[in-house]
Amino acid sequence: MFGEIIKTLLKEKNLSQAELAAKIGYSQRAVSKWINNQAEPTETAIRKCAVFFEVSADYLLGLEDESGFKTNIEN
């Protein structure tokens, strides 16, 4: 979920993985791994992404929609 949302936000902002990585202090490889679901971001990384994109951490994790409403998640 996180990877898909980050990928969408990057596309909306016309940013590359490398640009996001530089802005939040992580490597492009780390961002790529999140997007491709090869690694999970740390709490700090989630927080930095949320601040950068001006969204909530819950949104990045798929726990709420763009309006702030909680979503139903099925495992």
Side-chain angles (χ1 to χ4, degrees), residues 12-63:
E12 288 175 2
K13 303 281 187 185
N14 198 28
L15 292 170
S16 69
Q17 292 177 16
E19 289 170 317
L20 172 62
K23 297 283 188 183
I24 64 171
Y26 283 81
S27 68
Q28 186 273 327
R29 184 179 175 130
V31 173
S32 176
K33 285 184 174 186
W34 302 335
I35 290 172
N36 293 303
N37 297 313
Q38 295 173 338
E40 292 190 17
T42 63
E43 177 186 341
T44 301
I46 294 168
R47 189 177 321 116
K48 287 183 175 190
C49 287
V51 169
F52 178 76
F53 286 113
E54 298 178 334
V55 297
S56 71
D58 280 354
Y59 173 71
L60 291 177
L61 295 172
L63 300 174

